[in-house]
Amino acid sequence: MEEFAVVIIGAGPAGGQCARRLAQKGVRVLLVEQHSNFSQNNYSSAASPLETMALFDLPPGVVARYWRNLAIAASESEQTWHSDQPQGVVFDFAKLRQFLADAVTEAESQVWLGHRFSSYQQGESGLEVTLSCRDPLGTGSSEKVTVKAQVLIDATGSKRAVINYGQPKVTDNGQYYRGIGTEYLITVDEATHKRFTDTLVFFLGYRWSPQGYSWIFPMDNGQLKVGTAIFAGKHRHLGKLKPIRSYTEAIIKDYLKLEKPQYHLVEIHGSVLDYAVNQGDTYHRGSVLAIGDAVSTVNFLGGEGIRHGMQGANIAVPFVLGYLRGDQQAFGKYEQAMKSHFAEPWQRTEKLSQRVYLEFGDRQIDLGVTYLSYFRYEDVLDLLFHYRFDRIYGGITPLLLKKVAQFSQQCRQWLRNLRRFFPV
Ligand SMILES: Cc1cc2nc3c(=O)[nH]c(=O)nc-3n(C[C@H](O)[C@H](O)[C@H](O)COP(=O)(O)OP(=O)(O)OC[C@H]3O[C@@H](n4cnc5c(N)ncnc54)[C@H](O)[C@@H]3O)c2cc1C
């Protein structure tokens, strides 16, 4: 039986980053992924602020496009903020995960693609982890292989396949918020691509994206990603929703003004995210630890999870090293460290996401987007990517000043009119 210090199941951004870091520190790691290549589950829209590149020392090769501008469109209003400098990236999600996996093999650890986690059990000297290798000889059969590990890490995203192995099904107990995202990758004409090549566009409100949000993100090769995320649950004002694809298709038709064959549909992909209310996930169980979306690192307000999943992986690394050195309390400390990093902003944003996506009326959303026009670009970015809600109150000052100026202008006009009718 082959032996590893750490086996990580799931080569998403969290699993890949954790494996890369541990391998670079000389730990013998096995990174396991059920798909046989990274283009098979290329599901993420993968937009991120620019800081992600430096934070995780990522090369330009994993970027599909850099974005400079940001637009938010609601039913009646639209605001755009411009910059002449890049403010963020849209990753090529397949290349990002391939890069992380390559870094693991370069550091002399192993990556097994096309292997699916089946089960684990406590053996005499560590965990015995059984994987099924799909169709190794192309005969339609699958083969089982068992490896030994001191630590087993669940990086299977919101499936939580390892940490919940042998436990009751997680999504049945009402402790999770669910988001369902579907995205179209389309090839468009040169003029349309040029219009969106440097811009992230988000859509809110009943016209475009009731009970969630939609987006247009630029990709390379004349392509755009157009997608919609819907938040599961009963909306206070809305009835039954249309199929999720119809919102994305309406954006292509009514916003991009494209009808087939003016665009080419390359693929449709998507995924479901189950996010634990109040960070109520299981972070560890014996020698098993969970990272990334398996412990709800995705931010539920904007659905941004790549940067946070990788950040959570970085937080885990010293505690995994501590555990391997014999610190039995290390995983409890990991949970504390994760909660002190994520709990406060995440609990604030999860409450806000429920209000925005399941309670707000369309007029409220429009007013909110109009109100954002009084913000400086850096404040909007701080709000969207750093959840700095104090910026909202800072934005009130220019709004109030503008309202006072408008009111005093109106008063002066009334006085002028009065004088005209009643000259002294
Ligand atoms: C439609 C959509 C758009 C999104 N857009 C953005 C965005 O623009 N920006 C952003 O930052 N985030 C975005 N996200 C969220 C982001 O993609 C996730 O939060 C992030 O990928 C989570 O990383 P992870 O490594 O924890 O899990 P994942 O990326 O889900 O990786 C888990 C991996 O585990 C593998 N796996 C699962 N089960 C098994 C098993 N039994 N055996 C072996 N392998 C297994 C899976 O195949 C997968 O590769 C989006 C999500 C969706 C659904």
Side-chain angles (χ1 to χ4, degrees):
M1 198 185 299
E2 210 167 338
E3 288 188 26
F4 297 89
V6 179
V7 171
I8 301 176
I9 311 290
Q17 173 67 8
C18 190
R20 171 194 187 202
R21 273 287 167 97
L22 286 170
Q24 286 169 346
K25 289 191 179 297
V27 176
R28 185 169 154 74
V29 176
L30 170 63
L31 176 64
V32 176
E33 168 58 44
Q34 63 184 350
H35 292 286
S36 47
N37 64 65
F38 289 108
S39 57
Q40 281 181 357
N41 64 337
N42 207 4
Y43 76 90
S44 183
S45 318
S48 214
L50 197 60
E51 67 190 49
T52 311
M53 297 297 289
L55 208 53
F56 304 107
D57 196 15
L58 298 173
V62 300
V63 176
R65 288 292 314 166
Y66 288 86
W67 55 268
R68 295 186 283 114
N69 312 319
L70 181 85
I72 306 181
S75 297
E76 300 291 334
S77 52
E78 177 166 349
Q79 307 299 336
T80 307
W81 294 266
H82 297 276
S83 167
D84 50 13
Q85 296 300 318
Q87 300 296 322
V89 298
V90 179
F91 288 115
D92 182 318
F93 194 54
K95 284 188 186 161
L96 171 67
R97 291 170 299 153
Q98 185 69 60
F99 165 78
L100 297 173
D102 288 346
V104 176
T105 40
E106 274 157 27
E108 289 172 10
S109 274
Q110 293 192 36
V111 180
W112 291 2
L113 298 179
H115 284 70
R116 188 179 168 80
F117 167 80
S118 290
S119 63
Y120 75 90
Q121 63 176 19
Q122 186 66 52
E124 270 175 27
S125 57
L127 297 169
E128 290 166 9
V129 185
T130 301
L131 310 168
S132 60
C133 171
R134 277 204 201 143
D135 209 5
L137 303 169
T139 57
S141 62
S142 75
E143 207 173 70
K144 298 255 184 215
V145 53
T146 300
V147 294
K148 199 174 267 185
Q150 298 310 306
V151 172
L152 174 61
I153 297 186
D154 186 344
T156 62
S158 71
K159 290 206 170 51
R160 301 168 171 88
V162 183
I163 197 81
N164 284 325
Y165 171 72
Q167 305 296 316
K169 201 167 181 294
V170 287
T171 46
D172 290 348
N173 59 9
Q175 297 301 301
Y176 290 82
Y177 294 135
R178 169 165 281 195
I180 304 142
T182 305
E183 183 175 76
Y184 285 34
L185 179 65
I186 58 173
T187 308
V188 296
D189 59 277
E190 213 181 313
T192 307
H193 194 259
K194 208 165 166 217
R195 254 176 74 207
F196 295 95
T197 197
D198 299 319
T199 305
L200 294 189
V201 189
F202 290 97
F203 297 85
L204 292 168
Y206 295 6
R207 177 177 174 203
W208 300 112
S209 197
Q211 208 162 314
Y213 59 91
S214 300
W215 61 88
I216 301 174
F217 291 172
M219 287 292 285
D220 45 5
N221 302 326
Q223 294 178 336
L224 298 176
K225 286 173 164 179
V226 188
T228 301
I230 297 275
F231 288 75
K234 173 97 193 71
H235 195 287
R236 180 182 280 185
H237 306 292
L238 291 166
K240 196 168 179 305
L241 293 176
K242 290 189 269 183
I244 187 166
R245 285 179 180 200
S246 63
Y247 299 109
T248 301
E249 285 167 6
I251 288 172
I252 297 175
K253 184 167 168 283
D254 301 332
Y255 191 88
L256 290 176
K257 308 269 184 241
L258 295 177
E259 293 208 45
K260 274 187 185 164
Q262 291 168 303
Y263 69 93
H264 167 66
L265 179 58
V266 181
E267 63 174 48
I268 300 178
H269 48 242
S271 190
V272 170
L273 292 177
D274 286 317
Y275 172 98
V277 178
N278 281 333
Q279 313 288 285
D281 283 296
T282 304
Y283 285 74
H284 56 98
R285 187 172 271 130
S287 310
V288 181
L289 187 78
I291 60 171
D293 279 357
V295 284
S296 307
T297 48
V298 63
N299 187 281
F300 219 54
L301 186 63
E304 195 207 337
I306 294 173
R307 181 171 50 125
H308 307 307
M310 293 175 77
Q311 184 75 59
N314 280 2
I315 292 174
V317 165
F319 298 104
V320 174
L321 294 173
Y323 190 87
L324 291 172
R325 283 194 299 264
D327 178 1
Q328 293 298 311
Q329 310 306 317
F331 290 173
K333 293 178 202 161
Y334 159 70
E335 178 170 351
Q336 280 169 15
M338 286 293 278
K339 287 191 170 155
S340 70
H341 183 84
F342 286 104
E344 196 268 328
W346 260 227
Q347 285 171 19
R348 261 189 296 126
T349 46
E350 73 186 52
K351 284 197 188 90
L352 187 62
S353 69
Q354 292 306 294
R355 293 191 59 207
V356 173
Y357 301 127
L358 294 179
E359 292 176 19
F360 276 11
D362 202 33
R363 182 88 188 108
Q364 257 173 306
I365 296 174
D366 258 312
L367 279 173
V369 173
T370 307
Y371 170 52
L372 282 179
S373 67
Y374 296 99
F375 284 52
R376 293 174 310 160
Y377 192 11
E378 53 265 43
D379 291 340
V380 176
L381 292 174
D382 239 9
L383 188 70
L384 294 182
F385 292 106
H386 300 113
Y387 321 107
R388 291 281 311 274
F389 298 113
D390 50 323
R391 297 295 193 206
I392 294 179
Y393 308 108
I396 285 173
T397 317
L399 174 67
L400 287 179
L401 287 176
K402 189 167 178 183
K403 291 281 169 214
V404 167
Q406 279 169 351
F407 181 66
S408 72
Q409 208 179 1
Q410 251 170 9
C411 290
R412 280 199 297 274
Q413 186 63 44
W414 285 334
L415 277 175
R416 273 198 294 274
N417 290 346
L418 273 176
R419 282 202 195 103
R420 219 176 292 145
F421 285 111
F422 306 105
V424 280

